[in-house]
Amino acid sequence: MARKESEREEKRREEMANEARELVGQHLNYSAAFICSTCGIQFPPPAEIGDGAPPSSCLICCEERQFVPRTGQVWTTQSKMKHQYRNGFQKHEAGMYSIATVPKFAIGQRAFLLQTSEGNLLWDCVSFLDEATIDIVNALGGLKAIAISHPHYYSTNAQWSAAFGGIPVYIHERDKKWSVWEHERITFWRGDELHLWGGLTLLNLGGHFAGAQVLHWAGGAEGKGVLLTGDILQVSMDNATISIMRSYPNYIPLSASHAQRIGAKLNVWEFDRIYGAFLDREIETGAKSKVSFSLQRYIKWLNSTDLEI
């Protein structure tokens, strides 16, 4: 009985893998869709935007929370990237893997694959997607949906969604205007929290962006709770504190009221561990108290006078 169940599961995974391979490049030529080399956002394929030329500018990079390099706007495609990049996988704890592109591309964030008995979720997204990545993800159970913390990490979510069967992509509706490729599989949700499945909940914290969201995983950290934060809460270099910013590359802080509101929203949730956007940026234990300390410290310095410094 167990063997037959295993064989059925193996057949299902192989069918998913074959469907995924057919979907990559099917109908829409994803391999030719332009990707901003600075932020990693993929724009609709040339056939959808006219003459086959790259966009005149990147909506994300031309805003104060990102930047256009001094050398100007540069574009690439999946076809070009496949000769330069690979995705690496790392297991962090039971039921959770990170996916990172090497060498670093664009902003350099990680994505996370969370496994539950009710289906897997991809948290945040990386731009590069190849058949090897699709095969590995399907071997881990495939994907039921994607959720993305904020516009800087929207990357190639349309292509990832198509590659895994047209799965939904959860983005907060307050960030809808930043979706440069508004495909039909995006679910723009409203409110302060959205319960998904398997102990996974999206929390709209705002701050970095109005629709900025983090993911709470109740079953993570051996049942003590995990928060996946992108850089909505940026894990600091000491791996013991966090900070918040409107713009990281341009050093624009958030207000004290933002810090107070974020702290109040998180206070009702239990979590012992945080996984941030970047490699090795994690708070392994005691994360909730460390977030509280960090936000209080942030508010203190914003309210300090010159004489106190």
Side-chain angles (χ1 to χ4, degrees):
M1 187 73 177
R3 182 177 178 180
K4 287 183 179 180
E5 185 66 30
S6 178
E7 289 174 351
R8 282 196 294 268
E9 179 65 18
E10 184 63 31
K11 183 178 179 181
R12 184 186 71 85
R13 288 181 180 176
E14 184 60 30
E15 289 173 349
M16 288 171 61
N18 290 334
E19 289 172 4
R21 292 188 189 98
E22 291 173 4
L23 280 163
V24 175
Q26 179 180 303
H27 182 58
L28 296 176
N29 188 7
Y30 291 104
S31 64
F34 287 104
I35 299 171
C36 172
S37 294
T38 305
C39 71
I41 303 297
Q42 186 180 51
F43 283 66
E48 292 197 357
I49 59 176
D51 59 6
S56 59
S57 63
C58 175
L59 175 70
I60 300 297
C61 290
C62 290
E63 198 262 348
E64 67 180 9
R65 282 166 283 199
Q66 235 323 80
F67 64 94
V68 176
R70 292 176 66 183
T71 51
Q73 188 70 65
V74 178
W75 302 93
T76 189
T77 63
Q78 294 283 10
S79 294
K80 294 178 181 178
M81 290 182 70
K82 70 181 182 180
H83 300 295
Q84 301 171 269
Y85 297 96
R86 298 292 181 268
N87 285 331
F89 287 70
Q90 179 182 357
K91 185 170 184 176
H92 294 271
E93 58 179 88
M96 194 180 79
Y97 297 79
S98 65
I99 307 170
T101 302
V102 291
K104 176 187 172 184
F105 176 72
I107 295 172
Q109 76 275 7
R110 304 180 282 185
F112 288 88
L113 189 155
L114 288 96
Q115 298 172 303
T116 81
S117 60
E118 299 172 54
N120 297 347
L121 178 75
L122 184 72
W123 168 250
D124 278 335
C125 203
V126 295
S127 300
F128 183 60
L129 180 62
D130 63 356
E131 287 193 6
T133 301
I134 293 169
D135 287 347
I136 294 169
V137 170
N138 278 324
L140 292 170
L143 295 175
K144 183 176 180 178
I146 300 167
I148 305 177
S149 59
H150 70 294
H152 290 162
Y153 300 165
Y154 287 174
S155 61
T156 59
N157 73 80
Q159 186 173 1
W160 277 81
S161 170
F164 293 97
I167 57 176
V169 179
Y170 291 99
I171 291 172
H172 199 277
E173 61 92 20
R174 296 180 73 186
D175 283 343
K176 183 176 182 178
K177 67 180 181 179
W178 300 109
S179 182
V180 300
W181 189 346
E182 194 177 317
H183 55 90
E184 70 278 3
R185 299 178 298 277
I186 297 179
T187 297
F188 292 106
W189 67 279
R190 299 182 177 184
D192 290 332
E193 58 190 61
L194 178 67
H195 298 281
L196 297 175
W197 65 85
L200 301 174
T201 305
L202 295 173
L203 310 176
N204 173 221
L205 297 187
H208 188 28
F209 276 81
Q213 57 187 12
V214 300
L215 177 69
H216 184 264
W217 178 28
E222 298 79 44
K224 297 177 183 177
V226 158
L227 209 60
L228 294 99
T229 63
D231 61 5
I232 309 311
L233 303 181
Q234 181 79 287
V235 177
S236 305
M237 295 301 291
D238 60 9
N239 287 75
T241 57
I242 59 94
S243 192
I244 55 175
M245 295 281 277
R246 174 171 173 79
S247 172
Y248 291 99
N250 297 319
Y251 306 107
I252 305 172
L254 288 168
S255 67
S257 63
H258 275 103
Q260 290 167 339
R261 180 176 48 76
I262 289 170
K265 283 190 172 185
L266 289 176
N267 189 51
V268 299
W269 293 87
E270 295 302 321
F271 56 96
D272 189 56
R273 186 172 297 159
I274 285 179
Y275 292 95
F278 303 106
L279 183 66
D280 295 330
R281 297 278 68 82
E282 292 131 22
I283 298 179
E284 291 289 344
T285 189
K288 184 172 182 177
S289 63
K290 291 171 182 175
V291 167
S292 178
F293 164 79
S294 300
L295 292 174
Q296 290 171 17
R297 180 180 65 177
Y298 187 91
I299 293 167
K300 173 187 173 183
W301 282 108
L302 283 177
N303 293 334
S304 296
T305 65
D306 288 348
L307 296 176
E308 294 175 297
I309 296 176

Coordinates of all heavy atoms in Angstrom, one line a residue, residues 37 77 81 138 196 258 278:
S37 N 18.5 44.9 -14.4 CA 19.7 44.3 -13.8 C 20.0 44.9 -12.4 O 20.8 44.3 -11.6 CB 20.9 44.5 -14.7 OG 20.7 43.8 -15.9
T77 N 17.9 39.4 -19.8 CA 16.8 38.4 -20.0 C 17.2 37.1 -19.4 O 18.4 36.8 -19.1 CB 16.5 38.2 -21.5 OG1 17.6 37.6 -22.1 CG2 16.2 39.5 -22.2
M81 N 20.8 35.3 -18.8 CA 21.2 34.9 -17.4 C 21.6 33.4 -17.3 O 22.4 33.1 -16.5 CB 20.1 35.2 -16.5 CG 19.8 36.7 -16.3 SD 18.5 37.0 -15.1 CE 19.3 36.5 -13.5
N138 N 10.0 20.9 -7.6 CA 9.0 19.9 -7.7 C 9.4 18.7 -6.9 O 8.5 18.0 -6.3 CB 8.8 19.5 -9.2 CG 7.9 20.5 -9.9 OD1 6.9 21.0 -9.3 ND2 8.2 20.8 -11.2
L196 N -3.3 31.9 5.4 CA -3.2 31.1 4.2 C -3.6 29.7 4.5 O -4.7 29.3 4.4 CB -1.8 31.2 3.6 CG -1.3 32.6 3.2 CD1 0.1 32.6 2.7 CD2 -2.2 33.1 2.0
H258 N 6.1 55.1 12.7 CA 6.1 53.9 12.0 C 6.6 52.7 12.9 O 6.1 51.6 12.9 CB 7.1 54.0 10.8 CG 6.4 54.5 9.6 ND1 6.6 55.8 9.2 CD2 5.6 54.0 8.7 CE1 5.9 56.0 8.0 NE2 5.3 54.9 7.7
F278 N 18.7 38.4 3.4 CA 20.0 38.1 2.8 C 20.7 37.0 3.5 O 20.4 36.6 4.7 CB 20.8 39.4 2.8 CG 20.1 40.6 2.1 CD1 19.5 41.6 2.8 CD2 20.1 40.5 0.7 CE1 18.9 42.6 2.1 CE2 19.4 41.5 0.0 CZ 18.8 42.6 0.7

